[in-house]
mmCIF file with all atom_site columns, all heavy atoms in Angstrom:
data_model
loop_
_atom_site.group_PDB
_atom_site.id
_atom_site.type_symbol
_atom_site.label_atom_id
_atom_site.label_alt_id
_atom_site.label_comp_id
_atom_site.label_asym_id
_atom_site.label_entity_id
_atom_site.label_seq_id
_atom_site.pdbx_PDB_ins_code
_atom_site.Cartn_x
_atom_site.Cartn_y
_atom_site.Cartn_z
_atom_site.occupancy
_atom_site.B_iso_or_equiv
_atom_site.pdbx_formal_charge
_atom_site.auth_seq_id
_atom_site.auth_comp_id
_atom_site.auth_asym_id
_atom_site.auth_atom_id
_atom_site.pdbx_PDB_model_num
ATOM 1   N N   . LEU Z 1 42 ? 14.481 -9.128  13.273 1.00 0.00 ? 345 LEU Z N   1
ATOM 2   C CA  . LEU Z 1 42 ? 13.038 -9.317  13.434 1.00 0.00 ? 345 LEU Z CA  1
ATOM 3   C C   . LEU Z 1 42 ? 12.384 -8.103  14.073 1.00 0.00 ? 345 LEU Z C   1
ATOM 4   O O   . LEU Z 1 42 ? 11.316 -7.658  13.652 1.00 0.00 ? 345 LEU Z O   1
ATOM 5   C CB  . LEU Z 1 42 ? 12.748 -10.572 14.249 1.00 0.00 ? 345 LEU Z CB  1
ATOM 6   C CG  . LEU Z 1 42 ? 13.057 -11.897 13.568 1.00 0.00 ? 345 LEU Z CG  1
ATOM 7   C CD1 . LEU Z 1 42 ? 12.885 -13.057 14.547 1.00 0.00 ? 345 LEU Z CD1 1
ATOM 8   C CD2 . LEU Z 1 42 ? 12.211 -12.089 12.339 1.00 0.00 ? 345 LEU Z CD2 1
ATOM 9   N N   . THR Z 1 43 ? 13.025 -7.556  15.096 1.00 0.00 ? 346 THR Z N   1
ATOM 10  C CA  . THR Z 1 43 ? 12.506 -6.351  15.747 1.00 0.00 ? 346 THR Z CA  1
ATOM 11  C C   . THR Z 1 43 ? 12.491 -5.187  14.769 1.00 0.00 ? 346 THR Z C   1
ATOM 12  O O   . THR Z 1 43 ? 11.525 -4.425  14.705 1.00 0.00 ? 346 THR Z O   1
ATOM 13  C CB  . THR Z 1 43 ? 13.357 -6.003  16.992 1.00 0.00 ? 346 THR Z CB  1
ATOM 14  O OG1 . THR Z 1 43 ? 13.314 -7.113  17.889 1.00 0.00 ? 346 THR Z OG1 1
ATOM 15  C CG2 . THR Z 1 43 ? 12.833 -4.762  17.688 1.00 0.00 ? 346 THR Z CG2 1
ATOM 16  N N   . MET Z 1 44 ? 13.568 -5.060  14.002 1.00 0.00 ? 347 MET Z N   1
ATOM 17  C CA  . MET Z 1 44 ? 13.653 -3.981  13.017 1.00 0.00 ? 347 MET Z CA  1
ATOM 18  C C   . MET Z 1 44 ? 12.526 -4.111  11.984 1.00 0.00 ? 347 MET Z C   1
ATOM 19  O O   . MET Z 1 44 ? 11.920 -3.122  11.589 1.00 0.00 ? 347 MET Z O   1
ATOM 20  C CB  . MET Z 1 44 ? 15.005 -3.998  12.316 1.00 0.00 ? 347 MET Z CB  1
ATOM 21  C CG  . MET Z 1 44 ? 15.205 -2.858  11.343 1.00 0.00 ? 347 MET Z CG  1
ATOM 22  S SD  . MET Z 1 44 ? 16.847 -2.867  10.586 1.00 0.00 ? 347 MET Z SD  1
ATOM 23  C CE  . MET Z 1 44 ? 16.776 -4.348  9.614  1.00 0.00 ? 347 MET Z CE  1
ATOM 24  N N   . SER Z 1 45 ? 12.228 -5.325  11.575 1.00 0.00 ? 348 SER Z N   1
ATOM 25  C CA  . SER Z 1 45 ? 11.154 -5.548  10.610 1.00 0.00 ? 348 SER Z CA  1
ATOM 26  C C   . SER Z 1 45 ? 9.815  -5.065  11.167 1.00 0.00 ? 348 SER Z C   1
ATOM 27  O O   . SER Z 1 45 ? 9.056  -4.374  10.481 1.00 0.00 ? 348 SER Z O   1
ATOM 28  C CB  . SER Z 1 45 ? 11.077 -7.037  10.268 1.00 0.00 ? 348 SER Z CB  1
ATOM 29  O OG  . SER Z 1 45 ? 9.975  -7.307  9.461  1.00 0.00 ? 348 SER Z OG  1
ATOM 30  N N   . THR Z 1 46 ? 9.531  -5.412  12.404 1.00 0.00 ? 349 THR Z N   1
ATOM 31  C CA  . THR Z 1 46 ? 8.296  -4.972  13.051 1.00 0.00 ? 349 THR Z CA  1
ATOM 32  C C   . THR Z 1 46 ? 8.269  -3.454  13.192 1.00 0.00 ? 349 THR Z C   1
ATOM 33  O O   . THR Z 1 46 ? 7.267  -2.800  12.904 1.00 0.00 ? 349 THR Z O   1
ATOM 34  C CB  . THR Z 1 46 ? 8.152  -5.631  14.435 1.00 0.00 ? 349 THR Z CB  1
ATOM 35  O OG1 . THR Z 1 46 ? 8.154  -7.043  14.252 1.00 0.00 ? 349 THR Z OG1 1
ATOM 36  C CG2 . THR Z 1 46 ? 6.877  -5.202  15.126 1.00 0.00 ? 349 THR Z CG2 1
ATOM 37  N N   . ASN Z 1 47 ? 9.393  -2.893  13.631 1.00 0.00 ? 350 ASN Z N   1
ATOM 38  C CA  . ASN Z 1 47 ? 9.464  -1.437  13.784 1.00 0.00 ? 350 ASN Z CA  1
ATOM 39  C C   . ASN Z 1 47 ? 9.326  -0.717  12.450 1.00 0.00 ? 350 ASN Z C   1
ATOM 40  O O   . ASN Z 1 47 ? 8.731  0.356   12.371 1.00 0.00 ? 350 ASN Z O   1
ATOM 41  C CB  . ASN Z 1 47 ? 10.759 -1.029  14.483 1.00 0.00 ? 350 ASN Z CB  1
ATOM 42  C CG  . ASN Z 1 47 ? 10.749 -1.366  15.952 1.00 0.00 ? 350 ASN Z CG  1
ATOM 43  O OD1 . ASN Z 1 47 ? 9.688  -1.501  16.552 1.00 0.00 ? 350 ASN Z OD1 1
ATOM 44  N ND2 . ASN Z 1 47 ? 11.911 -1.519  16.534 1.00 0.00 ? 350 ASN Z ND2 1
ATOM 45  N N   . PHE Z 1 48 ? 9.871  -1.321  11.392 1.00 0.00 ? 351 PHE Z N   1
ATOM 46  C CA  . PHE Z 1 48 ? 9.739  -0.708  10.078 1.00 0.00 ? 351 PHE Z CA  1
ATOM 47  C C   . PHE Z 1 48 ? 8.275  -0.671  9.655  1.00 0.00 ? 351 PHE Z C   1
ATOM 48  O O   . PHE Z 1 48 ? 7.801  0.334   9.123  1.00 0.00 ? 351 PHE Z O   1
ATOM 49  C CB  . PHE Z 1 48 ? 10.576 -1.435  9.026  1.00 0.00 ? 351 PHE Z CB  1
ATOM 50  C CG  . PHE Z 1 48 ? 10.455 -0.804  7.676  1.00 0.00 ? 351 PHE Z CG  1
ATOM 51  C CD1 . PHE Z 1 48 ? 11.151 0.367   7.390  1.00 0.00 ? 351 PHE Z CD1 1
ATOM 52  C CD2 . PHE Z 1 48 ? 9.628  -1.341  6.707  1.00 0.00 ? 351 PHE Z CD2 1
ATOM 53  C CE1 . PHE Z 1 48 ? 11.026 0.986   6.160  1.00 0.00 ? 351 PHE Z CE1 1
ATOM 54  C CE2 . PHE Z 1 48 ? 9.504  -0.737  5.475  1.00 0.00 ? 351 PHE Z CE2 1
ATOM 55  C CZ  . PHE Z 1 48 ? 10.204 0.436   5.193  1.00 0.00 ? 351 PHE Z CZ  1
ATOM 56  N N   . LEU Z 1 49 ? 7.559  -1.748  9.906  1.00 0.00 ? 352 LEU Z N   1
ATOM 57  C CA  . LEU Z 1 49 ? 6.137  -1.770  9.560  1.00 0.00 ? 352 LEU Z CA  1
ATOM 58  C C   . LEU Z 1 49 ? 5.369  -0.704  10.344 1.00 0.00 ? 352 LEU Z C   1
ATOM 59  O O   . LEU Z 1 49 ? 4.511  -0.015  9.801  1.00 0.00 ? 352 LEU Z O   1
ATOM 60  C CB  . LEU Z 1 49 ? 5.536  -3.151  9.809  1.00 0.00 ? 352 LEU Z CB  1
ATOM 61  C CG  . LEU Z 1 49 ? 6.009  -4.253  8.873  1.00 0.00 ? 352 LEU Z CG  1
ATOM 62  C CD1 . LEU Z 1 49 ? 5.495  -5.606  9.341  1.00 0.00 ? 352 LEU Z CD1 1
ATOM 63  C CD2 . LEU Z 1 49 ? 5.599  -3.973  7.443  1.00 0.00 ? 352 LEU Z CD2 1
ATOM 64  N N   . ARG Z 1 50 ? 5.697  -0.560  11.618 1.00 0.00 ? 353 ARG Z N   1
ATOM 65  C CA  . ARG Z 1 50 ? 5.051  0.455   12.446 1.00 0.00 ? 353 ARG Z CA  1
ATOM 66  C C   . ARG Z 1 50 ? 5.396  1.855   11.919 1.00 0.00 ? 353 ARG Z C   1
ATOM 67  O O   . ARG Z 1 50 ? 4.544  2.712   11.799 1.00 0.00 ? 353 ARG Z O   1
ATOM 68  C CB  . ARG Z 1 50 ? 5.478  0.329   13.902 1.00 0.00 ? 353 ARG Z CB  1
ATOM 69  C CG  . ARG Z 1 50 ? 4.778  1.344   14.810 1.00 0.00 ? 353 ARG Z CG  1
ATOM 70  C CD  . ARG Z 1 50 ? 5.234  1.295   16.262 1.00 0.00 ? 353 ARG Z CD  1
ATOM 71  N NE  . ARG Z 1 50 ? 5.066  -0.035  16.837 1.00 0.00 ? 353 ARG Z NE  1
ATOM 72  C CZ  . ARG Z 1 50 ? 6.066  -0.739  17.366 1.00 0.00 ? 353 ARG Z CZ  1
ATOM 73  N NH1 . ARG Z 1 50 ? 7.274  -0.255  17.392 1.00 0.00 ? 353 ARG Z NH1 1
ATOM 74  N NH2 . ARG Z 1 50 ? 5.836  -1.922  17.874 1.00 0.00 ? 353 ARG Z NH2 1
ATOM 75  N N   . TRP Z 1 51 ? 6.657  2.060   11.595 1.00 0.00 ? 354 TRP Z N   1
ATOM 76  C CA  . TRP Z 1 51 ? 7.094  3.355   11.072 1.00 0.00 ? 354 TRP Z CA  1
ATOM 77  C C   . TRP Z 1 51 ? 6.385  3.652   9.757  1.00 0.00 ? 354 TRP Z C   1
ATOM 78  O O   . TRP Z 1 51 ? 5.907  4.748   9.534  1.00 0.00 ? 354 TRP Z O   1
ATOM 79  C CB  . TRP Z 1 51 ? 8.617  3.350   10.875 1.00 0.00 ? 354 TRP Z CB  1
ATOM 80  C CG  . TRP Z 1 51 ? 9.149  4.625   10.318 1.00 0.00 ? 354 TRP Z CG  1
ATOM 81  C CD1 . TRP Z 1 51 ? 9.301  5.800   10.986 1.00 0.00 ? 354 TRP Z CD1 1
ATOM 82  C CD2 . TRP Z 1 51 ? 9.596  4.862   8.990  1.00 0.00 ? 354 TRP Z CD2 1
ATOM 83  N NE1 . TRP Z 1 51 ? 9.828  6.756   10.141 1.00 0.00 ? 354 TRP Z NE1 1
ATOM 84  C CE2 . TRP Z 1 51 ? 10.017 6.198   8.910  1.00 0.00 ? 354 TRP Z CE2 1
ATOM 85  C CE3 . TRP Z 1 51 ? 9.689  4.056   7.847  1.00 0.00 ? 354 TRP Z CE3 1
ATOM 86  C CZ2 . TRP Z 1 51 ? 10.519 6.762   7.755  1.00 0.00 ? 354 TRP Z CZ2 1
ATOM 87  C CZ3 . TRP Z 1 51 ? 10.192 4.610   6.693  1.00 0.00 ? 354 TRP Z CZ3 1
ATOM 88  C CH2 . TRP Z 1 51 ? 10.602 5.945   6.656  1.00 0.00 ? 354 TRP Z CH2 1
ATOM 89  N N   . HIS Z 1 52 ? 6.286  2.639   8.922  1.00 0.00 ? 355 HIS Z N   1
ATOM 90  C CA  . HIS Z 1 52 ? 5.618  2.801   7.634  1.00 0.00 ? 355 HIS Z CA  1
ATOM 91  C C   . HIS Z 1 52 ? 4.193  3.281   7.836  1.00 0.00 ? 355 HIS Z C   1
ATOM 92  O O   . HIS Z 1 52 ? 3.750  4.244   7.237  1.00 0.00 ? 355 HIS Z O   1
ATOM 93  C CB  . HIS Z 1 52 ? 5.636  1.479   6.877  1.00 0.00 ? 355 HIS Z CB  1
ATOM 94  C CG  . HIS Z 1 52 ? 5.010  1.547   5.528  1.00 0.00 ? 355 HIS Z CG  1
ATOM 95  N ND1 . HIS Z 1 52 ? 3.678  1.338   5.334  1.00 0.00 ? 355 HIS Z ND1 1
ATOM 96  C CD2 . HIS Z 1 52 ? 5.533  1.822   4.319  1.00 0.00 ? 355 HIS Z CD2 1
ATOM 97  C CE1 . HIS Z 1 52 ? 3.403  1.472   4.052  1.00 0.00 ? 355 HIS Z CE1 1
ATOM 98  N NE2 . HIS Z 1 52 ? 4.503  1.767   3.415  1.00 0.00 ? 355 HIS Z NE2 1
ATOM 99  N N   . LYS Z 1 53 ? 3.480  2.608   8.717  1.00 0.00 ? 356 LYS Z N   1
ATOM 100 C CA  . LYS Z 1 53 ? 2.081  2.962   8.964  1.00 0.00 ? 356 LYS Z CA  1
ATOM 101 C C   . LYS Z 1 53 ? 1.970  4.344   9.596  1.00 0.00 ? 356 LYS Z C   1
ATOM 102 O O   . LYS Z 1 53 ? 1.185  5.179   9.140  1.00 0.00 ? 356 LYS Z O   1
ATOM 103 C CB  . LYS Z 1 53 ? 1.434  1.927   9.876  1.00 0.00 ? 356 LYS Z CB  1
ATOM 104 C CG  . LYS Z 1 53 ? -0.031 2.192   10.128 1.00 0.00 ? 356 LYS Z CG  1
ATOM 105 C CD  . LYS Z 1 53 ? -0.770 0.905   10.150 1.00 0.00 ? 356 LYS Z CD  1
ATOM 106 C CE  . LYS Z 1 53 ? -2.239 1.090   10.281 1.00 0.00 ? 356 LYS Z CE  1
ATOM 107 N NZ  . LYS Z 1 53 ? -2.925 1.338   9.061  1.00 0.00 ? 356 LYS Z NZ  1
ATOM 108 N N   . THR Z 1 54 ? 2.773  4.594   10.629 1.00 0.00 ? 357 THR Z N   1
ATOM 109 C CA  . THR Z 1 54 ? 2.680  5.849   11.364 1.00 0.00 ? 357 THR Z CA  1
ATOM 110 C C   . THR Z 1 54 ? 3.158  7.030   10.531 1.00 0.00 ? 357 THR Z C   1
ATOM 111 O O   . THR Z 1 54 ? 2.484  8.048   10.434 1.00 0.00 ? 357 THR Z O   1
ATOM 112 C CB  . THR Z 1 54 ? 3.516  5.769   12.655 1.00 0.00 ? 357 THR Z CB  1
ATOM 113 O OG1 . THR Z 1 54 ? 3.051  4.663   13.405 1.00 0.00 ? 357 THR Z OG1 1
ATOM 114 C CG2 . THR Z 1 54 ? 3.368  7.036   13.483 1.00 0.00 ? 357 THR Z CG2 1
ATOM 115 N N   . TYR Z 1 55 ? 4.300  6.888   9.931  1.00 0.00 ? 358 TYR Z N   1
ATOM 116 C CA  . TYR Z 1 55 ? 4.905  8.030   9.253  1.00 0.00 ? 358 TYR Z CA  1
ATOM 117 C C   . TYR Z 1 55 ? 4.457  8.173   7.798  1.00 0.00 ? 358 TYR Z C   1
ATOM 118 O O   . TYR Z 1 55 ? 3.906  9.180   7.404  1.00 0.00 ? 358 TYR Z O   1
ATOM 119 C CB  . TYR Z 1 55 ? 6.433  7.951   9.312  1.00 0.00 ? 358 TYR Z CB  1
ATOM 120 C CG  . TYR Z 1 55 ? 7.063  9.127   8.628  1.00 0.00 ? 358 TYR Z CG  1
ATOM 121 C CD1 . TYR Z 1 55 ? 7.048  10.375  9.230  1.00 0.00 ? 358 TYR Z CD1 1
ATOM 122 C CD2 . TYR Z 1 55 ? 7.604  9.009   7.362  1.00 0.00 ? 358 TYR Z CD2 1
ATOM 123 C CE1 . TYR Z 1 55 ? 7.577  11.469  8.594  1.00 0.00 ? 358 TYR Z CE1 1
ATOM 124 C CE2 . TYR Z 1 55 ? 8.139  10.096  6.727  1.00 0.00 ? 358 TYR Z CE2 1
ATOM 125 C CZ  . TYR Z 1 55 ? 8.125  11.325  7.343  1.00 0.00 ? 358 TYR Z CZ  1
ATOM 126 O OH  . TYR Z 1 55 ? 8.632  12.403  6.702  1.00 0.00 ? 358 TYR Z OH  1
ATOM 127 N N   . GLU Z 1 57 ? 2.067  6.714   5.806  1.00 0.00 ? 360 GLU Z N   1
ATOM 128 C CA  . GLU Z 1 57 ? 0.655  6.888   5.483  1.00 0.00 ? 360 GLU Z CA  1
ATOM 129 C C   . GLU Z 1 57 ? 0.127  8.245   5.918  1.00 0.00 ? 360 GLU Z C   1
ATOM 130 O O   . GLU Z 1 57 ? -0.573 8.916   5.176  1.00 0.00 ? 360 GLU Z O   1
ATOM 131 C CB  . GLU Z 1 57 ? -0.191 5.798   6.139  1.00 0.00 ? 360 GLU Z CB  1
ATOM 132 C CG  . GLU Z 1 57 ? -0.004 4.443   5.504  1.00 0.00 ? 360 GLU Z CG  1
ATOM 133 C CD  . GLU Z 1 57 ? -0.848 3.378   6.179  1.00 0.00 ? 360 GLU Z CD  1
ATOM 134 O OE1 . GLU Z 1 57 ? -1.695 3.717   7.032  1.00 0.00 ? 360 GLU Z OE1 1
ATOM 135 O OE2 . GLU Z 1 57 ? -0.655 2.214   5.842  1.00 0.00 ? 360 GLU Z OE2 1
ATOM 136 N N   . GLN Z 1 77 ? 1.212  -1.598  -3.010 1.00 0.00 ? 380 GLN Z N   1
ATOM 137 C CA  . GLN Z 1 77 ? 2.390  -2.410  -2.717 1.00 0.00 ? 380 GLN Z CA  1
ATOM 138 C C   . GLN Z 1 77 ? 2.571  -3.510  -3.755 1.00 0.00 ? 380 GLN Z C   1
ATOM 139 O O   . GLN Z 1 77 ? 3.690  -3.800  -4.172 1.00 0.00 ? 380 GLN Z O   1
ATOM 140 C CB  . GLN Z 1 77 ? 2.291  -2.994  -1.303 1.00 0.00 ? 380 GLN Z CB  1
ATOM 141 C CG  . GLN Z 1 77 ? 2.447  -1.937  -0.230 1.00 0.00 ? 380 GLN Z CG  1
ATOM 142 C CD  . GLN Z 1 77 ? 2.119  -2.442  1.164  1.00 0.00 ? 380 GLN Z CD  1
ATOM 143 O OE1 . GLN Z 1 77 ? 1.276  -3.312  1.344  1.00 0.00 ? 380 GLN Z OE1 1
ATOM 144 N NE2 . GLN Z 1 77 ? 2.794  -1.885  2.148  1.00 0.00 ? 380 GLN Z NE2 1
#
Side-chain angles (χ1 to χ4, degrees):
L345 290 173
T346 301
M347 184 177 67
S348 174
T349 301
N350 287 337
F351 181 78
L352 291 172
R353 182 183 304 122
W354 179 75
H355 182 272
K356 183 141 185 84
T357 303
Y358 180 74
E360 289 180 8
Q380 290 170 328

